[in-house]
Amino acid sequence: YVDGFGNAISNISEALVVEVFGDGATEVDVDDGRLAFSGFSESYTAVDEGAALVIFNSFGLLECAVRNGSASDSLALHPGQPLAVTRSE
């Protein structure tokens, strides 16, 4: 779902990612690889203003966001797009 800030929130929990991948390095692909992220950000301020990131939100769910912006608008994200978490090679 897309929240009021334009963050695209998934139904993938941090607990599930840790259960499946442990502490191993992971990658996140959105929309069949149209967007790719290496690892998770610890905070929104870990990236430059206007930069895209993936982060576990306060509910423990994976979300795609843009610091001080709308991921929905700037990355053309909407509900129903595929999102995959994989182990880095």
Side-chain angles (χ1 to χ4, degrees), residues 34-76:
R34 182 176 64 85
L35 299 170
F37 300 90
S38 180
F40 307 102
S41 293
E42 293 293 321
S43 70
Y44 294 97
T45 58
V47 300
D48 293 334
E49 195 163 318
L53 65 139
V54 288
I55 190 169
F56 290 104
N57 64 22
S58 60
F59 296 105
L61 297 175
L62 183 66
E63 71 177 51
C64 296
V66 170
R67 181 176 172 194
N68 296 340
S70 167
S72 177
D73 291 341
S74 60
L75 302 176

Side-chain angles (χ1 to χ4, degrees), residues 2 18-19 22 35 76 79 88:
V2 175
V18 169
E19 179 182 322
L35 299 170
S88 297

